[in-house]
Amino acid sequence: MMKIRRLVPAFLLLAAVPVIPYAIWGYSGHDYAIHLTMWMELRNAWLHGEFVPGWCPLANFTLGSPRFCFYPPLSFLLGTLLSFIVPFRMAAAFFVWIVIFASGLSMYKVSGYFLLPEDRLAASVLYMLSPYLLFTALVRYAAAELLTLAWTPFVLLCFYRGIWAKEKRATVWLGCLFAMSWLANIPATIVLFYVLLVVAGIAAARQRALSPILHYFMAQFVGFMLAAFFLVPTYFEQKWISSAAVARPDLRFFFLFEPLWHFNGGSRFLLGFWAIACVEIAIVGACAYRMRKALAADSPQRTWLELAVAAFAFQLPVSIPLWRHLPELIFAGFPFRFLSVMGAAFPLLLLARGTPRSLRVPAYCLLCVTALFPVLVYATEGVKHPNPRFSEAIARWQKGYVEMAEFMPAGTTRPEAPTVDLASIQVDESGADCKAYIDSASRMPRAFSVDSTEPCRVRLALYYYPYWRALDEAGKRLPLGRTPEGLVTITVPPGRHRIAMKFKASSPLRTATLLVSAASALLVVVFALQEARRSVPNQVCDRSDLDCDDFSRGSASSPFRKTD
């Protein structure tokens, strides 16, 4: 068997393939600006010595946004770290390169538990260059969702071993992977939650026992506790922002086979996802038919088949009632996100031992055609709508940019242009003997002076949010208010005062959940150490015989044991 370290150069080269269009047509992608502006904001905050920011000061044309309080942190932390390691203009390309490289390695590692040694490399290539992954990286540049795809194969491995082998350690590792997913992208994690729940329910019905459901929810509990410091405050504080903007009233137009003219010119975009879904489900159906006699109830192939079918079903119009009524499913955003699960399960099913090899060449040809589609869409958009130079885009964003609708403070209207009629600071009550002066051009922190002979109220060109604090020269908090437009007002006592505005995302709830997550992480570490001590070196399962006791029972060795 080829050592995995010998494959690293090949994986690095393959991972660079999706980055080539960036060099030809420049950066693009529907969410490219969203992620790059977030990296830029965090980078600026770190350079100013603010290492845990909660506020994006340049959003909404410098009126600001609490995006850092609500957006899962893993993707923007990785992107910002890359901006300090490589030139900022190359950080977006390096992000994609690293994530696709990690995706290939994870599929190679996981496939060692289910495929023959000679098929592992093919499974990795199929996953690294899968059509949905290319669409996510190129056409959408959904960096946070792309990051979750790097460990999705491990999610499938731990899920299978948890519900069939009943491994405690696999259940705990599945919980850790879910925690990482919650901290990377919430819509993608909701997709994983429901697809795996359906298959766990099928396994429970087949076993006539509740243990698969119990193991699955135990993993969810572990993941929730580890990510509680982010999930709980986000849930309770979402009333402070316009989170309802995520629920799309035109959701039904994104389902398979709905009329394309409803989608406002995005026909090629949807056709690409429809082609991926139809091609993959057709190949999955052919595999299932050809190996129908070999599909045992607890076989991995059966699990991958059920995962693929469940993911496809959630994209059909018949699933609309589920989208409307299942808790939080509407926040998955788009039905085509379920292609991520199909893409991870697909290589494991196509290359399974019982699948006829005669299906592989036609499948490879169809996948190559669908993989070219996102490249063509990207090239077409790059030619029709050329992007500005990177330096010009950064200069424009640094003057202010439009925020995502869901992160707008509640009750405010997103500005589509700079609000030039609002001064940075002005007296809000006419007739008061009050003068206000800006002390610093820096907006982190905002500082100004007020000179008044009587109490007065000043207004800032800054959106109000409960975590804002106005402190005078003695560190005393001053009363804050809010205008009908959602801007901050400060009631200042008589005299000359120097006031600093500081944003600190701190509350008893955040402190308590942070302690809960820290305690949960400690318990996971203790559990891992105990399991390591109990483990006795066993004979490694022969990958040419996937029915050996070590694999089928799965209770003796870790799902992450070294196999190379």
Side-chain angles (χ1 to χ4, degrees):
M1 184 184 301
M2 187 176 294
K3 298 291 186 182
I4 193 169
R5 60 178 175 270
R6 297 179 182 176
L7 293 173
V8 169
F11 282 161
L12 287 173
L13 288 175
L14 281 172
V17 171
V19 181
I20 294 175
Y22 295 147
I24 300 175
W25 295 290
Y27 290 114
S28 183
H30 300 166
D31 295 343
Y32 170 71
I34 292 171
H35 293 285
L36 206 68
T37 52
M38 191 152 43
W39 302 350
M40 178 185 67
E41 294 267 26
L42 186 57
R43 177 188 173 92
N44 290 343
W46 286 358
L47 291 174
H48 284 82
E50 191 177 1
F51 298 106
V52 189
W55 190 258
C56 295
L58 299 177
N60 296 312
F61 304 102
T62 71
L63 293 178
S65 160
R67 194 196 310 181
F68 285 132
C69 291
F70 293 95
Y71 202 91
L74 288 187
S75 67
F76 66 72
L77 286 175
L78 175 59
T80 306
L81 286 172
L82 285 174
S83 72
F84 285 97
I85 298 173
V86 301
F88 194 15
R89 68 176 64 250
M90 299 174 63
F94 268 85
F95 185 97
V96 172
W97 186 39
I98 290 173
V99 173
I100 294 181
F101 169 72
S103 302
L105 287 183
S106 65
M107 179 56 76
Y108 186 82
K109 187 68 174 178
V110 169
S111 63
Y113 294 88
F114 305 107
L115 305 181
L116 298 176
E118 59 269 24
D119 293 329
R120 296 175 66 185
L121 182 59
S124 301
V125 175
L126 284 176
Y127 188 59
M128 292 173 69
L129 303 181
S130 60
Y132 183 71
L133 193 148
L134 294 178
F135 248 113
T136 305
L138 292 176
V139 180
R140 298 174 60 211
Y141 201 86
E145 183 179 351
L146 184 68
L147 184 59
T148 65
L149 300 180
W151 56 77
T152 298
F154 280 116
V155 171
L156 302 190
L157 169 65
C158 293
F159 174 74
Y160 175 77
R161 295 183 74 93
I163 66 170
W164 286 110
K166 309 295 189 303
E167 286 190 4
K168 293 181 180 179
R169 66 182 69 188
T171 301
V172 173
W173 300 147
L174 180 60
C176 294
L177 292 169
F178 260 102
M180 292 171 57
S181 298
W182 285 121
L183 296 176
N185 187 256
I186 290 178
T189 312
I190 294 174
V191 165
L192 278 174
F193 175 87
Y194 277 110
V195 173
L196 297 183
L197 177 61
V198 169
V199 179
I202 294 173
R206 189 172 293 122
Q207 297 179 30
R208 297 182 180 180
L210 290 177
S211 56
I213 296 291
L214 294 178
H215 277 265
Y216 178 67
F217 278 108
M218 179 58 68
Q220 289 293 341
F221 178 75
V222 171
F224 176 80
M225 296 299 285
L226 291 172
F229 72 95
F230 168 74
L231 292 176
V232 176
T234 298
Y235 178 80
F236 284 100
E237 294 174 6
Q238 64 179 330
K239 60 180 180 295
W240 295 346
I241 60 173
S242 305
S243 59
V246 180
R248 306 177 187 278
D250 57 349
L251 176 68
R252 65 186 182 89
F253 302 142
F254 294 92
F255 285 90
L256 288 171
F257 316 126
E258 286 290 332
L260 284 172
W261 55 80
H262 289 301
F263 190 54
N264 299 326
S267 299
R268 290 175 305 155
F269 181 73
L270 277 184
L271 277 174
F273 291 123
W274 293 6
I276 295 170
C278 292
V279 166
E280 290 191 352
I281 200 65
I283 297 174
V284 164
C287 293
Y289 178 77
R290 295 291 299 275
M291 61 189 301
R292 60 189 183 279
K293 296 181 180 180
L295 284 176
D298 60 344
S299 65
Q301 296 90 333
R302 183 122 186 188
T303 301
W304 315 145
L305 174 63
E306 291 166 354
L307 284 170
V309 172
F312 183 77
F314 274 102
Q315 302 172 62
L316 296 172
V318 295
S319 68
I320 290 178
L322 299 179
W323 284 81
R324 299 293 186 195
H325 301 293
L326 285 179
E328 310 302 330
L329 179 57
I330 193 69
F331 290 103
F334 300 103
F336 57 70
R337 281 198 168 108
F338 283 86
L339 287 170
S340 61
V341 182
M342 293 182 66
F346 181 78
L348 298 175
L349 183 61
L350 177 63
L351 302 174
R353 185 178 57 172
T355 305
R357 291 183 175 269
S358 58
L359 290 176
R360 296 187 181 184
V361 173
Y364 292 160
C365 294
L366 288 172
L367 289 173
C368 286
V369 172
T370 52
L372 288 175
F373 201 87
V375 178
L376 294 176
V377 172
Y378 186 88
T380 304
E381 292 185 355
V383 171
K384 288 186 176 180
H385 307 286
N387 296 291
R389 296 177 58 184
F390 182 83
S391 57
E392 296 174 354
I394 290 294
R396 185 177 69 242
W397 291 331
Q398 287 177 337
K399 297 178 182 178
Y401 56 89
V402 179
E403 177 58 289
M404 298 172 67
E406 56 263 35
F407 297 128
M408 290 293 298
T412 59
T413 302
R414 184 172 62 173
E416 301 296 335
T419 314
V420 296
D421 58 327
L422 294 175
S424 295
I425 179 172
Q426 75 178 64
V427 178
D428 200 42
E429 294 180 354
S430 59
D433 185 13
C434 180
K435 296 180 181 179
Y437 309 93
I438 295 291
D439 286 354
S440 173
S442 174
R443 304 187 74 84
M444 291 187 296
R446 298 162 183 261
F448 59 94
S449 296
V450 175
D451 190 1
S452 175
T453 59
E454 57 183 289
C456 69
R457 189 172 65 174
V458 296
R459 181 187 66 188
L460 300 181
L462 175 70
Y463 275 136
Y464 172 83
Y465 198 74
Y467 285 139
W468 276 116
R469 303 289 184 265
L471 306 176
D472 64 10
E473 64 281 356
K476 180 182 178 181
R477 288 178 58 176
L478 302 179
L480 296 182
R482 170 179 171 149
T483 68
E485 298 80 17
L487 303 180
V488 171
T489 63
I490 308 168
T491 303
V492 184
R496 182 174 180 81
H497 300 280
R498 187 177 185 277
I499 301 172
M501 293 294 297
K502 295 185 178 181
F503 188 94
K504 187 175 182 181
S506 177
S507 66
L509 178 63
R510 285 180 174 266
T511 302
T513 53
L514 181 60
L515 293 175
V516 168
S517 294
S520 302
L522 181 61
L523 290 175
V524 169
V525 171
V526 171
F527 173 82
L529 292 175
Q530 289 179 343
E531 289 295 310
R533 292 174 182 173
R534 293 175 184 172
S535 297
V536 178
N538 293 326
Q539 182 180 0
V540 177
C541 180
D542 180 7
R543 302 303 175 202
S544 64
D545 180 13
L546 297 185
D547 295 325
C548 63
D549 291 341
D550 181 54
F551 176 80
S552 61
R553 294 171 186 170
S555 58
S557 60
S558 167
F560 298 103
R561 67 187 185 276
K562 183 176 179 60
T563 60
D564 293 327

mmCIF file of all heavy atoms in Angstrom, residues 131-156:
data_model
loop_
_atom_site.group_PDB
_atom_site.id
_atom_site.type_symbol
_atom_site.label_atom_id
_atom_site.label_comp_id
_atom_site.label_asym_id
_atom_site.label_seq_id
_atom_site.Cartn_x
_atom_site.Cartn_y
_atom_site.Cartn_z
ATOM 1 N N PRO A 131 -17.991 17.753 -8.731
ATOM 2 C CA PRO A 131 -18.642 18.937 -9.303
ATOM 3 C C PRO A 131 -19.163 19.909 -8.244
ATOM 4 O O PRO A 131 -19.009 21.132 -8.396
ATOM 5 C CB PRO A 131 -19.794 18.344 -10.133
ATOM 6 C CG PRO A 131 -19.338 16.954 -10.460
ATOM 7 C CD PRO A 131 -18.543 16.506 -9.284
ATOM 8 N N TYR A 132 -19.781 19.393 -7.181
ATOM 9 C CA TYR A 132 -20.322 20.321 -6.182
ATOM 10 C C TYR A 132 -19.209 21.064 -5.452
ATOM 11 O O TYR A 132 -19.334 22.256 -5.143
ATOM 12 C CB TYR A 132 -21.194 19.588 -5.168
ATOM 13 C CG TYR A 132 -21.820 20.530 -4.168
ATOM 14 C CD1 TYR A 132 -22.834 21.399 -4.552
ATOM 15 C CD2 TYR A 132 -21.364 20.577 -2.848
ATOM 16 C CE1 TYR A 132 -23.400 22.293 -3.649
ATOM 17 C CE2 TYR A 132 -21.930 21.465 -1.942
ATOM 18 C CZ TYR A 132 -22.944 22.311 -2.347
ATOM 19 O OH TYR A 132 -23.493 23.205 -1.442
ATOM 20 N N LEU A 133 -18.108 20.400 -5.181
ATOM 21 C CA LEU A 133 -16.999 21.074 -4.529
ATOM 22 C C LEU A 133 -16.453 22.183 -5.421
ATOM 23 O O LEU A 133 -16.133 23.289 -4.942
ATOM 24 C CB LEU A 133 -15.914 20.057 -4.192
ATOM 25 C CG LEU A 133 -14.807 20.512 -3.239
ATOM 26 C CD1 LEU A 133 -14.322 19.336 -2.401
ATOM 27 C CD2 LEU A 133 -13.634 21.084 -3.997
ATOM 28 N N LEU A 134 -16.360 21.923 -6.728
ATOM 29 C CA LEU A 134 -15.892 22.954 -7.653
ATOM 30 C C LEU A 134 -16.882 24.113 -7.739
ATOM 31 O O LEU A 134 -16.476 25.280 -7.809
ATOM 32 C CB LEU A 134 -15.667 22.342 -9.040
ATOM 33 C CG LEU A 134 -14.545 21.302 -9.145
ATOM 34 C CD1 LEU A 134 -14.465 20.751 -10.560
ATOM 35 C CD2 LEU A 134 -13.222 21.907 -8.734
ATOM 36 N N PHE A 135 -18.174 23.797 -7.754
ATOM 37 C CA PHE A 135 -19.180 24.868 -7.749
ATOM 38 C C PHE A 135 -19.046 25.720 -6.480
ATOM 39 O O PHE A 135 -19.122 26.950 -6.539
ATOM 40 C CB PHE A 135 -20.583 24.272 -7.818
ATOM 41 C CG PHE A 135 -21.286 24.552 -9.112
ATOM 42 C CD1 PHE A 135 -21.572 23.530 -10.001
ATOM 43 C CD2 PHE A 135 -21.673 25.836 -9.447
ATOM 44 C CE1 PHE A 135 -22.221 23.776 -11.193
ATOM 45 C CE2 PHE A 135 -22.321 26.101 -10.645
ATOM 46 C CZ PHE A 135 -22.598 25.064 -11.514
ATOM 47 N N THR A 136 -18.864 25.061 -5.344
ATOM 48 C CA THR A 136 -18.766 25.787 -4.086
ATOM 49 C C THR A 136 -17.525 26.662 -4.053
ATOM 50 O O THR A 136 -17.557 27.788 -3.528
ATOM 51 C CB THR A 136 -18.731 24.790 -2.912
ATOM 52 O OG1 THR A 136 -19.869 23.936 -3.000
ATOM 53 C CG2 THR A 136 -18.756 25.505 -1.576
ATOM 54 N N ALA A 137 -16.423 26.184 -4.621
ATOM 55 C CA ALA A 137 -15.173 26.935 -4.598
ATOM 56 C C ALA A 137 -15.133 28.033 -5.644
ATOM 57 O O ALA A 137 -14.666 29.150 -5.362
ATOM 58 C CB ALA A 137 -13.995 25.985 -4.800
ATOM 59 N N LEU A 138 -15.616 27.759 -6.846
ATOM 60 C CA LEU A 138 -15.471 28.699 -7.947
ATOM 61 C C LEU A 138 -16.673 29.621 -8.101
ATOM 62 O O LEU A 138 -16.564 30.841 -7.942
ATOM 63 C CB LEU A 138 -15.237 27.933 -9.253
ATOM 64 C CG LEU A 138 -13.910 27.190 -9.376
ATOM 65 C CD1 LEU A 138 -13.870 26.404 -10.674
ATOM 66 C CD2 LEU A 138 -12.753 28.170 -9.322
ATOM 67 N N VAL A 139 -17.815 29.038 -8.414
ATOM 68 C CA VAL A 139 -18.984 29.850 -8.752
ATOM 69 C C VAL A 139 -19.539 30.573 -7.531
ATOM 70 O O VAL A 139 -19.919 31.738 -7.599
ATOM 71 C CB VAL A 139 -20.067 28.975 -9.407
ATOM 72 C CG1 VAL A 139 -21.295 29.809 -9.762
ATOM 73 C CG2 VAL A 139 -19.506 28.296 -10.646
ATOM 74 N N ARG A 140 -19.567 29.897 -6.385
ATOM 75 C CA ARG A 140 -20.149 30.511 -5.188
ATOM 76 C C ARG A 140 -19.101 31.133 -4.268
ATOM 77 O O ARG A 140 -19.381 32.083 -3.569
ATOM 78 C CB ARG A 140 -20.944 29.452 -4.406
ATOM 79 C CG ARG A 140 -22.125 28.869 -5.173
ATOM 80 C CD ARG A 140 -22.754 27.728 -4.385
ATOM 81 N NE ARG A 140 -23.221 28.192 -3.086
ATOM 82 C CZ ARG A 140 -23.249 27.439 -2.001
ATOM 83 N NH1 ARG A 140 -22.790 26.196 -2.037
ATOM 84 N NH2 ARG A 140 -23.694 27.926 -0.872
ATOM 85 N N TYR A 141 -17.936 30.607 -4.232
ATOM 86 C CA TYR A 141 -16.908 30.921 -3.251
ATOM 87 C C TYR A 141 -17.512 30.967 -1.839
ATOM 88 O O TYR A 141 -17.342 31.927 -1.081
ATOM 89 C CB TYR A 141 -16.165 32.233 -3.531
ATOM 90 C CG TYR A 141 -14.823 32.239 -2.818
ATOM 91 C CD1 TYR A 141 -13.724 31.670 -3.423
ATOM 92 C CD2 TYR A 141 -14.691 32.750 -1.540
ATOM 93 C CE1 TYR A 141 -12.512 31.611 -2.772
ATOM 94 C CE2 TYR A 141 -13.488 32.694 -0.871
ATOM 95 C CZ TYR A 141 -12.403 32.133 -1.493
ATOM 96 O OH TYR A 141 -11.202 32.069 -0.837
ATOM 97 N N ALA A 142 -18.215 29.906 -1.503
ATOM 98 C CA ALA A 142 -18.798 29.750 -0.165
ATOM 99 C C ALA A 142 -17.729 29.148 0.733
ATOM 100 O O ALA A 142 -17.711 27.937 0.991
ATOM 101 C CB ALA A 142 -20.046 28.883 -0.220
ATOM 102 N N ALA A 143 -16.814 29.993 1.214
ATOM 103 C CA ALA A 143 -15.618 29.516 1.914
ATOM 104 C C ALA A 143 -15.964 28.720 3.163
ATOM 105 O O ALA A 143 -15.331 27.702 3.458
ATOM 106 C CB ALA A 143 -14.716 30.696 2.260
ATOM 107 N N ALA A 144 -16.957 29.167 3.923
ATOM 108 C CA ALA A 144 -17.305 28.477 5.167
ATOM 109 C C ALA A 144 -17.870 27.097 4.883
ATOM 110 O O ALA A 144 -17.511 26.109 5.550
ATOM 111 C CB ALA A 144 -18.301 29.309 5.969
ATOM 112 N N GLU A 145 -18.760 26.992 3.910
ATOM 113 C CA GLU A 145 -19.305 25.674 3.557
ATOM 114 C C GLU A 145 -18.225 24.787 2.963
ATOM 115 O O GLU A 145 -18.174 23.577 3.240
ATOM 116 C CB GLU A 145 -20.461 25.826 2.571
ATOM 117 C CG GLU A 145 -21.121 24.519 2.202
ATOM 118 C CD GLU A 145 -22.286 24.684 1.239
ATOM 119 O OE1 GLU A 145 -22.696 25.844 0.993
ATOM 120 O OE2 GLU A 145 -22.771 23.662 0.731
ATOM 121 N N LEU A 146 -17.348 25.365 2.159
ATOM 122 C CA LEU A 146 -16.250 24.597 1.581
ATOM 123 C C LEU A 146 -15.383 23.985 2.680
ATOM 124 O O LEU A 146 -14.924 22.844 2.560
ATOM 125 C CB LEU A 146 -15.412 25.506 0.685
ATOM 126 C CG LEU A 146 -14.267 24.852 -0.088
ATOM 127 C CD1 LEU A 146 -14.808 23.906 -1.145
ATOM 128 C CD2 LEU A 146 -13.379 25.917 -0.716
ATOM 129 N N LEU A 147 -15.179 24.722 3.762
ATOM 130 C CA LEU A 147 -14.353 24.220 4.855
ATOM 131 C C LEU A 147 -14.958 22.963 5.479
ATOM 132 O O LEU A 147 -14.237 22.033 5.842
ATOM 133 C CB LEU A 147 -14.179 25.319 5.905
ATOM 134 C CG LEU A 147 -13.252 25.004 7.083
ATOM 135 C CD1 LEU A 147 -11.849 24.676 6.599
ATOM 136 C CD2 LEU A 147 -13.221 26.172 8.063
ATOM 137 N N THR A 148 -16.278 22.920 5.612
ATOM 138 C CA THR A 148 -16.908 21.735 6.206
ATOM 139 C C THR A 148 -16.719 20.495 5.334
ATOM 140 O O THR A 148 -16.732 19.364 5.842
ATOM 141 C CB THR A 148 -18.413 21.961 6.433
ATOM 142 O OG1 THR A 148 -19.071 22.131 5.162
ATOM 143 C CG2 THR A 148 -18.652 23.186 7.299
ATOM 144 N N LEU A 149 -16.550 20.687 4.020
ATOM 145 C CA LEU A 149 -16.362 19.541 3.129
ATOM 146 C C LEU A 149 -15.034 18.843 3.381
ATOM 147 O O LEU A 149 -14.856 17.684 2.989
ATOM 148 C CB LEU A 149 -16.439 19.996 1.669
ATOM 149 C CG LEU A 149 -17.756 20.638 1.236
ATOM 150 C CD1 LEU A 149 -17.697 21.035 -0.230
ATOM 151 C CD2 LEU A 149 -18.931 19.714 1.489
ATOM 152 N N ALA A 150 -14.095 19.527 4.047
ATOM 153 C CA ALA A 150 -12.792 18.924 4.296
ATOM 154 C C ALA A 150 -12.888 17.750 5.266
ATOM 155 O O ALA A 150 -12.088 16.819 5.187
ATOM 156 C CB ALA A 150 -11.822 19.975 4.838
ATOM 157 N N TRP A 151 -13.839 17.790 6.201
ATOM 158 C CA TRP A 151 -13.953 16.675 7.153
ATOM 159 C C TRP A 151 -15.262 15.893 7.014
ATOM 160 O O TRP A 151 -15.540 15.017 7.815
ATOM 161 C CB TRP A 151 -13.791 17.174 8.588
ATOM 162 C CG TRP A 151 -14.738 18.261 8.996
ATOM 163 C CD1 TRP A 151 -16.057 18.134 9.329
ATOM 164 C CD2 TRP A 151 -14.433 19.652 9.154
ATOM 165 N NE1 TRP A 151 -16.600 19.341 9.662
ATOM 166 C CE2 TRP A 151 -15.617 20.298 9.575
ATOM 167 C CE3 TRP A 151 -13.279 20.410 8.997
ATOM 168 C CZ2 TRP A 151 -15.669 21.678 9.819
ATOM 169 C CZ3 TRP A 151 -13.332 21.777 9.234
ATOM 170 C CH2 TRP A 151 -14.511 22.387 9.638
ATOM 171 N N THR A 152 -16.055 16.173 6.010
ATOM 172 C CA THR A 152 -17.287 15.410 5.807
ATOM 173 C C THR A 152 -17.036 13.904 5.657
ATOM 174 O O THR A 152 -17.809 13.096 6.185
ATOM 175 C CB THR A 152 -18.061 15.950 4.595
ATOM 176 O OG1 THR A 152 -18.438 17.318 4.849
ATOM 177 C CG2 THR A 152 -19.331 15.143 4.355
ATOM 178 N N PRO A 153 -15.976 13.455 4.952
ATOM 179 C CA PRO A 153 -15.727 12.001 4.927
ATOM 180 C C PRO A 153 -15.546 11.405 6.318
ATOM 181 O O PRO A 153 -16.025 10.291 6.587
ATOM 182 C CB PRO A 153 -14.444 11.892 4.092
ATOM 183 C CG PRO A 153 -14.488 13.080 3.193
ATOM 184 C CD PRO A 153 -15.079 14.179 4.027
ATOM 185 N N PHE A 154 -14.880 12.103 7.216
ATOM 186 C CA PHE A 154 -14.728 11.598 8.579
ATOM 187 C C PHE A 154 -16.072 11.547 9.294
ATOM 188 O O PHE A 154 -16.302 10.678 10.142
ATOM 189 C CB PHE A 154 -13.744 12.459 9.367
ATOM 190 C CG PHE A 154 -12.308 12.156 9.080
ATOM 191 C CD1 PHE A 154 -11.482 13.108 8.497
ATOM 192 C CD2 PHE A 154 -11.777 10.917 9.384
ATOM 193 C CE1 PHE A 154 -10.160 12.829 8.236
ATOM 194 C CE2 PHE A 154 -10.441 10.626 9.121
ATOM 195 C CZ PHE A 154 -9.622 11.592 8.534
ATOM 196 N N VAL A 155 -16.960 12.478 8.978
ATOM 197 C CA VAL A 155 -18.308 12.442 9.553
ATOM 198 C C VAL A 155 -19.012 11.151 9.158
ATOM 199 O O VAL A 155 -19.636 10.470 9.995
ATOM 200 C CB VAL A 155 -19.131 13.669 9.103
ATOM 201 C CG1 VAL A 155 -20.588 13.525 9.526
ATOM 202 C CG2 VAL A 155 -18.541 14.952 9.679
ATOM 203 N N LEU A 156 -18.895 10.774 7.884
ATOM 204 C CA LEU A 156 -19.539 9.541 7.425
ATOM 205 C C LEU A 156 -18.922 8.318 8.088
ATOM 206 O O LEU A 156 -19.636 7.374 8.455
ATOM 207 C CB LEU A 156 -19.429 9.428 5.899
ATOM 208 C CG LEU A 156 -20.028 10.574 5.078
ATOM 209 C CD1 LEU A 156 -20.065 10.195 3.606
ATOM 210 C CD2 LEU A 156 -21.407 10.954 5.564
#
